Amino acid sequence: MPWNEVKPMDEKVKFIADYLRGELAFKALCALYGISRKTGYKWVRRYHAMGLEGLQAQSRRPHDSAVTPYVVRQAILELRNHKGDVLGPKKIQPLLAARFIESLIPSQTTIYNILKAAGCVKSRRRINRTLRSIQPLKTATQVNQLWSVDYKGQFKLGNGQWCYPLTIMDHASRYLLSCQGFSGTTGAEAKAVFEQLFRQYGLPERIRSDNGTPFASVGVGGLSKLSIWWIRLGIIPERITPGQPQQNGRHERMHRTLKLRIGQPGAADLTQQQVILDEFLRHYNEDRLHESLGQCVPKSVYQSSSRRYPESLPELVYPDYFERGRVCQSGLIYWRSLRVYIGYLLRGEWVGLELVGEGIWDVYFGPIRLGSLDEREVKGTKNDYLTLKVSPMSLN
C-alpha cells in the first residue's frame, strides 16, 4: 500500500481503525502500514489522549513555545480594556497570574503578538528626533519631594462651557492628589485647591509646572502670585523649559490616560463632568497598576508629608550677611538711598541682597535669585535709580 496514494491523515485513521478491531498483532499491523512500532504507539497514545484531533500533524516547535490556550488568549483580549484602561503586555501579564497557573502565563512578547494579531495594536510610524542638550530637572525618589501640576487641555461641555481640569500629582508615587475641573485658569481657584491639599496632605519640597498662568508670569524671576505663596511656605517652584513637556513626562503620561478615560465630548455641564473626573482620580489611585511601582497602585505607596501647613504665613529668613529691602506698592525698594524696581507682584515682600563683587549685588526672593544690580550704575533725574538685571530663575 504505497503511502502517497492516500492523504497521511486518512492513513492514520485507517491504522487506528484496524488497531481497534484487533485482528492483527501490533508488529504485523505496523509492518502492514509501513511504519515503525514507535510511530504506531505514538499514534495510539495521541488517539487515546485527544481522539482523532490527536492524529493531526503536530507542531515541531519546542514545548516552551507551545500555542497559547484559547482561554488564555481570550483573557488577554478581555484584559486589553480593563476597567476603562487600555492595558499593554506589562500590565496584562500580572493580571493573568490571578486567573491561571504559572505554566500557562505567556511572555510579554507573546501577549503583544496576540494583541497585534487581533487588531488591538496599531503600528506607529517611527519618528527620528534630534537629541537636544537640556539640563534635566532634579527627580524625586521619595513621596512629597516633588509635586507636579498642570491643566489638561481644555474641552467643551454639552452646555458650551469650557472645562480646564487642574491636575496635581506626587512625582515619586504617581498619586493623583487632585483632578478638579474649572471654567478657566485663575490663580485664586488654583490656590484654593492647593490650600485644601496642603491641609490634607502637608507640604511638598518642590512643585513643578510649565510656564503658563497661574504658575508663572512675565514678571521678574517669572514669579506669579501663586509661586510667591509657595515660596513663603518653604516650597521651591520648578518650571520646565518652554516647549519641552517631556521634562514633566510623568504628568503628561497621566494626562494621556485621563484623555482616554474621560473621552470626548464632555459631560452636560461642569457638575456632571466633575463626577467623571472624581471617578478617574479614584480609579487612577486605587485600581490602575503602575509598572514603575512594581505593578502596585499609587494609593498603596503614597503617604502624607511630615511638613504641616502653617496657620500663618511665615516670614522669609535671609542669612545674616544679606541686606534686606521691602518692596513697596509701586514695586520699588528704597535701599542705600537708591531706588530699585523689583516688581509689583512682590509688593509687601522682603527681598535679600548679597554682595558678590565690588558694587555688585545679587537679589533674592527667598531661595530664588531674581537678578543682579550694580550700585555704581545709578541713573535718573535724581541719579538714584538702579535697574535690576533679570536672570533666569536659579536657586541660592
Side-chain angles (χ1 to χ4, degrees):
M1 179 185 299
W3 178 266
N4 57 7
E5 289 183 1
V6 292
K7 294 181 179 179
M9 182 61 182
D10 295 337
E11 194 71 6
K12 293 175 184 178
V13 173
K14 290 180 180 180
F15 172 83
I16 293 297
D18 288 340
Y19 164 77
L20 294 175
R21 281 195 292 268
E23 296 177 353
L24 294 174
F26 195 77
K27 181 179 180 179
L29 180 62
C30 291
L32 178 63
Y33 281 86
I35 61 175
S36 66
R37 280 183 293 174
K38 181 180 179 180
T39 300
Y41 284 126
K42 180 178 67 175
W43 290 355
V44 171
R45 284 196 305 271
R46 289 180 178 175
Y47 172 76
H48 285 307
M50 297 179 285
L52 292 178
E53 290 185 2
L55 302 179
Q56 298 279 2
Q58 301 295 303
S59 171
R60 295 179 181 270
R61 289 190 297 176
H63 293 296
D64 58 357
S65 60
V67 175
T68 305
Y70 175 79
V71 290
V72 178
R73 285 186 279 121
Q74 289 301 110
I76 291 171
L77 298 178
E78 174 191 336
L79 291 170
R80 174 64 170 171
N81 293 282
H82 180 64
K83 296 183 178 181
D85 279 331
V86 180
L87 304 185
K90 292 180 180 179
K91 289 185 171 61
I92 291 176
Q93 192 180 51
L95 293 175
L96 292 174
R99 302 190 183 189
F100 304 103
I101 60 175
E102 184 178 356
S103 60
L104 292 179
I105 300 175
S107 67
Q108 293 178 10
T109 300
T110 300
I111 295 174
Y112 173 83
N113 290 334
I114 291 172
L115 294 173
K116 187 173 183 179
C120 298
V121 177
K122 295 181 179 179
S123 299
R124 294 183 179 181
R125 182 172 62 90
R126 190 177 185 85
I127 301 176
N128 293 323
R129 299 187 184 275
T130 303
L131 294 177
R132 301 185 179 182
S133 282
I134 58 174
Q135 183 178 357
L137 296 172
K138 187 178 179 182
T139 188
T141 58
Q142 298 179 3
V143 296
N144 301 309
Q145 282 185 332
L146 173 64
W147 288 6
S148 55
V149 59
D150 198 4
Y151 282 94
K152 174 70 182 74
Q154 73 276 14
F155 55 91
K156 272 193 175 182
L157 302 174
N159 60 1
Q161 183 182 17
W162 287 100
C163 177
Y164 296 78
L166 175 66
T167 56
I168 306 168
M169 184 176 70
D170 177 68
H171 190 82
S173 67
R174 311 302 201 276
Y175 189 76
L176 188 56
L177 298 152
S178 179
C179 186
Q180 185 73 36
F182 292 108
S183 57
T185 58
T186 68
E189 291 175 330
K191 182 179 179 180
V193 172
F194 272 105
E195 184 172 5
Q196 186 270 324
L197 293 179
F198 293 159
R199 292 184 183 279
Q200 182 176 356
Y201 299 111
L203 304 178
E205 295 178 14
R206 296 174 283 135
I207 297 178
R208 181 177 298 173
S209 71
D210 61 15
N211 295 269
T213 182
F215 316 120
S217 75
V218 296
V220 61
L223 296 176
S224 66
K225 288 184 177 180
L226 186 62
S227 60
I228 290 170
W229 177 57
W230 291 344
I231 294 171
R232 288 286 302 273
L233 289 171
I235 301 169
I236 296 175
E238 288 184 355
R239 296 197 300 273
I240 65 174
T241 304
Q244 300 289 338
Q246 66 271 21
Q247 293 182 0
N248 207 4
R250 296 184 183 184
H251 208 100
E252 293 295 324
R253 179 62 183 86
M254 179 272 294
H255 274 181
R256 188 168 67 178
T257 303
L258 172 60
K259 182 178 179 180
L260 290 173
R261 184 78 180 183
I262 64 176
Q264 294 290 342
D269 53 37
L270 200 56
T271 300
Q272 294 186 29
Q273 186 65 53
Q274 189 57 50
V275 173
I276 299 174
L277 296 176
D278 289 342
E279 172 55 25
F280 171 77
L281 183 143
R282 186 209 63 77
H283 165 77
Y284 193 84
N285 289 335
E286 301 178 17
D287 295 338
R288 192 173 189 276
L289 304 178
H290 290 253
E291 179 189 352
S292 61
L293 302 178
Q295 302 299 358
C296 294
V297 297
K299 186 178 181 180
S300 67
V301 179
Y302 182 75
Q303 296 178 352
S304 296
S305 172
S306 59
R307 300 177 61 205
R308 306 316 302 167
Y309 180 68
E311 290 303 321
S312 60
L313 202 59
E315 291 288 346
L316 293 176
V317 177
Y318 294 97
D320 292 338
Y321 59 88
F322 272 44
E323 294 191 13
R324 299 200 314 161
R326 189 158 198 156
V327 184
C328 66
Q329 290 298 314
S330 62
L332 292 169
I333 62 169
Y334 291 89
W335 168 77
R336 293 193 167 194
S337 301
L338 299 173
R339 296 177 300 149
V340 183
Y341 182 75
I342 302 297
Y344 73 94
L345 283 177
L346 286 170
R347 55 183 178 266
E349 303 288 350
W350 287 95
V351 296
L353 297 96
E354 178 189 14
L355 183 64
V356 295
E358 186 178 350
I360 301 175
W361 299 77
D362 280 347
V363 182
Y364 286 89
F365 176 65
I368 306 300
R369 180 177 179 273
L370 303 178
S372 63
L373 55 88
D374 188 339
E375 62 178 316
R376 297 166 299 182
E377 296 179 351
V378 292
K379 56 185 178 180
T381 56
K382 297 181 180 180
N383 205 34
D384 67 345
Y385 185 80
L386 282 176
T387 301
L388 179 67
K389 297 178 182 178
V390 178
S391 62
M393 186 180 73
S394 59
L395 298 177
N396 186 6

